Amino acid sequence: MNHRPGGVRPPRIVAGRFRGRPLHFPSGVELRPTAENVRESLFNSLAYDLPGARFADLFAGTGAVGLEALSRGAAHVTFLEKNPRCLEALRTSVENLGVADQVTLVAGDVLTNWPRVTATGGQFDIVFADPPYAWDHWEPLLDLLLARGWGVAPDGLVILEHSRRQPPAPPLEPVRTKTFGETQLSWFEIAPPAEEATP
């Protein structure tokens, strides 16, 4: 979710079982959902990883990314979002698509709630995080997701959406990046824990 001003048409699902379905857009909130071409590129890269995956959409906004993941075959999506209007709109979209049994909605700050979510909900195969471009708390988030791999399954993926002009400084090198104008996606692979050598 990119908090940027300007008129934006409500997002829609690009592909999968809900292809073309519109999503509810919160009133009175300045945000820009991840663009359709960005989502298309993102999910093309996940074609073999997504079916049956547990997916987390952090800073969910309208939920366009997580609901696209469900449309394309994810088994379950957990959304984290603190803006109550965004959450209300997201609940409406979930009800309209009839996917309440495949969704968990968590209200509140990501940094505060992510440890609790992972403690009760287990590990995720794919974690997508799209804070506002001006967000200045990258370091603790990257520590949780990349340095510690907290809540990410072995061999899991973490994907960040961020400004290409102000990229975060992750503790790992991305395995891939792709730029779309002002937007950049960075893919990270979380290596499984090294096996201890037997004596």
Side-chain angles (χ1 to χ4, degrees):
M1 174 187 63
N2 303 330
H3 289 82
R4 291 185 288 176
V8 181
R9 70 178 183 178
R12 64 188 179 98
I13 302 294
V14 176
R17 59 179 169 144
F18 302 125
R19 180 179 180 179
R21 295 281 296 274
L23 303 179
H24 200 67
F25 198 88
S27 61
V29 180
E30 289 188 347
L31 58 84
R32 180 168 302 207
T34 300
E36 289 185 9
N37 65 318
V38 179
R39 278 185 279 141
E40 185 68 24
S41 180
L42 167 66
F43 286 106
N44 285 345
S45 79
L46 299 175
Y48 298 104
D49 301 291
L50 192 61
R54 298 186 72 245
F55 191 100
D57 185 356
L58 312 186
F59 310 91
T62 64
V65 171
L67 293 172
E68 184 86 32
L70 278 181
S71 181
R72 294 177 184 242
H76 189 276
V77 177
T78 295
F79 297 91
L80 272 75
E81 173 57 51
K82 70 177 183 179
N83 187 302
R85 291 187 178 182
C86 290
L87 281 168
E88 182 180 356
L90 180 49
R91 287 190 184 96
T92 299
S93 294
V94 167
E95 292 171 3
N96 290 343
L97 295 174
V99 293
D101 60 336
Q102 293 180 272
V103 164
T104 299
L105 298 177
V106 180
D109 177 74
V110 167
L111 292 176
T112 302
N113 286 278
W114 181 245
R116 177 175 61 84
V117 168
T118 59
T120 58
Q123 295 181 316
F124 294 86
D125 303 297
I126 302 168
V127 178
F128 179 81
D130 178 18
Y133 282 178
W135 199 62
D136 59 0
H137 300 291
W138 276 107
E139 186 174 350
L141 178 66
L142 296 175
D143 181 60
L144 286 174
L145 295 179
L146 300 181
R148 302 191 210 180
W150 204 337
V152 186
D155 290 325
L157 288 168
V158 173
I159 303 155
L160 307 179
E161 181 175 340
H162 54 87
S163 168
R164 70 175 179 85
R165 296 179 183 274
Q166 294 179 309
L172 303 176
E173 286 294 321
V175 296
R176 179 186 179 193
T177 62
K178 191 166 184 179
T179 301
F180 310 81
E182 295 298 311
T183 296
Q184 184 169 303
L185 294 180
S186 297
W187 287 255
F188 299 86
E189 291 180 352
I190 306 301
E195 294 184 5
E196 295 184 5
T198 55

